[in-house]
Every structure is written in structure tokens, then in C-alpha cells.
């Protein structure tokens, strides 16, 4: 039981003085994802065939690799921003929340790095 | 984690069914949430039969009739009976609204009356709004200015400046909006909720106020402000037809605007 005043409890530790960047980045990444995801779907559909050789040849074009890396990075960033909001909404308790956020950030960075690595590997001709 | 089910001792059970009063001309079934902190029992849903012919047209009239005729222990807040005090906000047929401005004949089927959702219940239809009021107080809902008022007059506003605060200032603090907001349900300890944010906005855009920057500083927080995900239940339920969702969006825009 706490005898702290209701106003004291509401004021808590004060305002974090941040949150604008997160909010703005979420909008910015979603705007960037619009053309990037349309490009991704349209260019895949525009391929003459979807066999391994055709897709590898497509990936080896400089513009494809560049746009695909951008798409992967922006998607991972956007997802990280969004998942963070979900965790903050539903995971209560400072310890559990911080741990979940740290783990999910690692997962997103790993996913982005793995994606970029995979694109570069194909683009620069190391065939599996 | 967020609570998706009520705690075991808060789940309502079937309550008392009161017999219809003799000589009913037009019967209407009203189910009301009952809870007494002294009984140690779970909340229950009592069923009343009302004669709408001998009762006023509003849900508040029905509650007053039930309290006067059938069960004097029924507890609810009410004062002005004309939608300006905000006391009789409750959840009627699934929607937060004022009992005094809700017509019985606008409701379909049985009338189901619960207290405002996800708030501690003091008794029956009376929620504990202590935190809600503290959140309102936390946005400092009063004029702050360093410039003294003119010695011979009040602080003047143009007509356009007044029109900007006219609607937001009409909030009656009934708590319908905040208690309809899922973000407020899950995080009311840190999210200020639509009502307090609408009040903050009303002072942020007041042309006479000089604490705009400090007010925005105090809101720039992932929880206080940014728990709002534009769900817009607040605007949907507001019995005064105000738009807290828009006010919050405007605050977010101003915070971006001052970045550069």
C-alpha cells in the first residue's frame, strides 16, 4: 500500500522528453516501405520465370540488390519500431519489458544483417 | 501482461430478479451491475422490470425510478440531469454514455447498465475516478503566463483564437472517452488518456497561455502521450461530440513541428 498522493503517482518519474523520434521514424519508414514493397512485388511478378537461375540473375543487377537491401533494412527498422509499441502496450513490469525489448532489438538487427548478407552473397556471385 | 479477463473476484454472477411492479402497462427489462464492497461477494447482475409509462424517458429516469420504487440501495452518481455535469457517465448497452442524455427508446432489447469499464468500482455504478482526476490535474489545466494582464482589462483573444479553444473547452470530464480507450485500460498508470490530453491541448492552443513549450515538454513521453494509437473510441463515445483523437494528433504534430 502506498500513501503517495494520486498526483504524485501520476507524475511518476516525469516525462521521458523523447518519443517524437520514434513516432516520426515509424511514419517515415512506412512511407518508404510503400514504393519499396510495391517495387518488390511488381518486379518479382514481372520476371519471365521464377526458377533459381532467373532470380539469381535478377539479384545480380546492381539496382535490384541496392533496392532489396534498402527494402530489408527499412522493413526491419519499421518492424522493430512497431513491435516495440506492442511490447510497451502489453508487457507490464519493468524487468520483463526491458528484457523483451532488448531481445527483440537483437532479433531485428540479426534479421536485417542476415538479409543484407544474403543479398550481397548472391549479388557478388558466390553461388551456394 | 495486460488483463484480458476480469480477476476471479470481479466476475459478475447472476443476481436478484425483482418482480415487476403491479399494474405494469409497458414493461422494460433493465439489468444492472451491482457491487457492494462490504459484502465480500462477487459483483452480480440484478434484473428489474420497469413500467416505462410511469417513468421519464431517459436511462437516468429509469435508475431514479428503480431506486425510489424497487431497491433503494442502488447506488449511482447524478446531478444536473441535462448532460453538463458529467456525473452519470456509465456503460449502457456496451457504450459509455451519460444516463441523463440517453433515451430508453434508442436502446435495443434489454437495457444493460454497467459502471465505466476497467476502473475500480466503489459501489454499483460508481467508479473510482481518483487517478483520472489526478491525470487532469497533472496537465496544469489553468492559464500560465509571465506577461501580466493589462491593468485596465482582461486578457483579450480574437474571435478566431477563441474559436480554436471553444470546442475543446466544452469537455465535462465525464470520463466516457478515457474509459473507452484500450490503451488507457492497459496502461492507465502512465498513459494520461484522451480526456487529460484534450485538456492539455485546450491550454496548448490557448492564445493567452505562455507555457506552451513546457506543456509540450511534459507530454513528450512514450507513455503519457504516445500510448495513443489513434483507436478513436474516445471520439466515438464523447457525449459532447468533442474530438479528443484529433486533439492528440495535433499535439503529436506540434511536437514534430518544433523539431525543425
Amino acid at each position: 500500500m502506498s500513501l503517495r498522493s494520486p498526483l504524485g503517482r501520476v507524475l511518476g518519474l516525469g516525462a521521458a522528453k523523447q518519443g517524437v523520434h520514434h513516432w516520426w521514424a515509424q511514419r517515415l519508414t512506412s512511407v518508404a516501405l510503400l514504393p519499396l514493397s510495391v517495387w518488390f512485388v511488381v518486379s518479382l511478378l514481372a520476371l519471365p520465370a521464377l526458377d533459381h537461375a532467373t532470380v539469381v540473375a535478377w539479384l545480380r543487377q546492381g539496382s535490384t540488390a541496392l533496392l532489396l537491401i534498402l527494402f530489408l533494412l527499412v522493413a526491419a527498422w519499421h518492424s522493430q519500431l512497431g513491435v516495440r509499441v506492442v511490447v510497451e502496450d502489453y508487457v507490464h513490469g519493468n524487468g520483463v519489458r526491458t528484457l523483451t525489448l532488448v531481445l527483440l532489438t537483437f532479433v531485428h538487427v540479426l534479421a536485417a544483417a542476415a538479409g543484407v548478407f544474403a543479398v550481397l552473397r548472391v549479388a557478388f556471385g558466390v553461388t551456394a | 501482461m495486460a488483463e484480458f479477463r476480469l480477476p476471479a473476484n470481479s466476475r459478475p454472477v447472476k443476481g436478484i430478479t425483482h418482480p415487476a411492479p403491479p399494474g405494469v402497462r409497458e414493461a422494460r427489462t433493465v439489468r444492472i451491475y451491482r457491487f457492494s464492497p462490504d459484502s465480500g461477494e462477487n459483483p452480480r447482475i440484478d434484473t428489474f422490470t420497469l413500467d416505462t409509462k410511469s417513468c421519464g424517458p431517459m436511462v437516468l429516469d429509469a435508475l431514479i425510478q428503480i431506486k425510489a420504487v424497487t431497491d433503494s440501495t442502488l447506488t449511482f452518481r447524478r446531478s444536473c440531469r441535462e448532460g453538463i455535469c458529467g456525473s452519470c457517465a456509465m456503460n449502457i448497452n456496451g457504450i459509455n454514455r451519460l444516463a441523463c442524455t440517453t433515451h430508453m427508446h434508442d436502446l435495443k432489447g434489454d437495457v444493460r447498465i454497467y459502471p465505466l469499464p476497467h476502473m475500480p468500482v466503489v459501489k454499483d455504478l460508481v467508479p473510482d475516478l481518483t487517478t483520472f482526476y489526478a491525470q487532469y490535474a497533472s496537465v496544469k489545466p489553468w492559464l500560465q503566463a509571465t506577461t501580466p494582464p493589462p491593468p485596465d482589462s482582461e486578457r483579450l483573444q480574437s474571435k478566431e483564437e477563441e474559436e480554436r479553444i471553444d470546442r475543446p473547452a466544452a469537455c465535462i470530464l465525464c470520463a466516457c472517452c478515457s474509459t473507452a480507450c484500450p490503451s488507457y485500460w492497459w496502461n492507465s498508470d502512465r498513459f494520461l488518456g484522451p480526456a487529460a490530453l484534450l485538456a492539455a491541448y485546450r491550454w496548448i492552443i490557448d492564445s493567452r497561455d505562455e507555457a506552451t513549450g513546457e506543456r509540450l515538454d511534459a507530454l513528450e513521453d512514450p507513455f503519457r502521450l504516445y500510448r495513443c494509437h489513434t483507436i478513436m473510441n474516445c471520439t466515438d463515445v464523447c457525449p459532447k461530440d468533442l474530438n479528443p483523437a484529433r486533439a492528440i494528433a495535433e499535439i503529436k504534430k506540434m511536437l514534430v513541428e518544433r523539431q525543425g
Side-chain angles (χ1 to χ4, degrees):
Chain A
M1 187 185 143
S2 166
L3 293 180
R4 198 171 185 196
S5 73
L7 181 60
R9 265 182 280 130
V10 165
L11 292 172
L13 299 176
K17 303 266 163 53
Q18 57 100 6
V20 186
H21 177 71
H22 178 283
W23 186 83
W24 183 244
Q26 205 172 22
R27 265 90 205 140
L28 213 60
T29 48
S30 54
V31 169
L33 277 175
L34 273 174
L36 283 170
S37 43
V38 170
W39 162 82
F40 180 66
V41 174
V42 168
S43 23
L44 268 186
L45 291 176
L47 287 180
L50 284 174
D51 57 275
H52 184 253
T54 320
V55 177
V56 167
W58 173 67
L59 269 169
R60 282 194 178 153
Q61 295 167 15
S63 58
T64 309
L66 180 70
L67 284 172
L68 199 58
I69 287 171
L70 274 180
F71 180 48
L72 284 165
L73 288 177
V74 177
W77 188 10
H78 185 73
S79 163
Q80 192 270 332
L81 293 168
V83 168
R84 184 186 174 95
V85 171
V86 176
V87 171
E88 285 172 344
D89 273 353
Y90 295 113
V91 182
H92 291 174
N94 286 333
V96 194
R97 189 175 56 234
T98 309
L99 189 70
T100 318
L101 287 175
V102 167
L103 285 176
L104 284 169
T105 307
F106 286 172
V107 167
H108 279 98
V109 173
L110 182 71
V116 172
F117 176 71
V119 173
L120 290 179
R121 202 159 105 136
V122 178
F124 289 118
V126 188
T127 37
Chain B
M1 290 293 283
E3 297 154 343
F4 292 103
R5 261 200 101 183
L6 288 168
N9 58 356
S10 297
R11 283 174 208 150
V13 296
K14 205 171 154 23
I16 304 162
T17 303
H18 295 270
V24 173
R25 283 169 293 167
E26 198 181 285
R28 190 84 194 262
T29 305
V30 183
R31 300 181 200 281
I32 304 178
Y33 176 101
R34 306 297 306 274
F35 171 73
S36 170
D38 303 325
S39 71
E41 290 163 13
N42 270 37
R44 56 173 213 269
I45 308 299
D46 280 0
T47 308
F48 300 87
T49 306
L50 196 76
D51 182 10
T52 47
K53 287 278 182 205
S54 67
C55 177
M58 301 300 185
V59 173
L60 183 62
D61 296 317
L63 287 171
I64 291 171
Q65 172 105 329
I66 289 167
K67 188 175 173 75
V69 176
T70 317
D71 186 349
S72 60
T73 66
L74 178 65
T75 306
F76 54 92
R77 290 193 184 109
R78 93 279 177 276
S79 177
C80 74
R81 63 92 186 94
E82 59 183 16
I84 198 59
C85 76
S87 304
C88 65
M90 47 189 77
N91 188 282
I92 302 163
N93 283 20
I95 293 172
N96 294 348
R97 38 190 157 190
L98 301 177
C100 66
T101 56
T102 305
H103 271 278
M104 291 285 277
H105 62 66
D106 285 344
L107 302 168
K108 290 203 170 65
D110 295 349
V111 180
R112 304 177 305 278
I113 309 175
Y114 286 72
L116 291 173
H118 216 279
M119 302 299 267
V121 176
V122 177
K123 190 170 190 284
D124 293 348
L125 302 173
V126 178
D128 182 354
L129 296 175
T130 310
T131 305
F132 176 81
Y133 295 138
Q135 283 158 334
Y136 177 63
S138 79
V139 304
K140 302 189 179 167
W142 54 81
L143 188 91
Q144 297 176 68
T146 316
T147 309
D152 52 353
S153 75
E154 55 282 90
R155 293 172 198 272
L156 294 178
Q157 272 189 312
S158 72
K159 200 166 163 17
E160 298 77 47
E161 284 165 343
E162 195 283 329
E163 273 164 9
R164 294 188 73 199
I165 60 164
D166 191 60
R167 295 301 290 151
C171 171
I172 56 172
L173 290 173
C174 65
C176 278
C177 59
S178 290
T179 59
C181 171
S183 277
Y184 192 76
W185 297 340
W186 310 148
N187 287 295
S188 56
D189 54 337
R190 292 181 69 184
F191 175 44
L192 289 179
L197 289 170
L198 178 70
Y201 174 72
R202 178 248 174 278
W203 289 105
I204 286 169
I205 57 159
D206 192 311
S207 60
R208 300 161 299 178
D209 194 87
E210 291 168 357
T212 315
E214 288 89 335
R215 293 183 188 281
L216 288 172
D217 287 345
L219 295 181
E220 192 179 341
D221 183 274
F223 280 84
R224 284 186 180 182
L225 172 72
Y226 288 102
R227 271 319 87 196
C228 165
H229 307 315
T230 327
I231 300 162
M232 303 216 281
N233 281 6
C234 51
T235 303
D236 228 20
V237 298
C238 178
K240 305 300 285 183
D241 282 327
L242 308 180
N243 197 339
R246 185 178 176 163
I248 297 170
E250 293 293 338
I251 296 173
K252 289 174 180 167
K253 267 164 66 182
M254 281 185 263
L255 283 167
V256 173
E257 199 181 311
R258 70 173 186 173
Q259 295 285 314

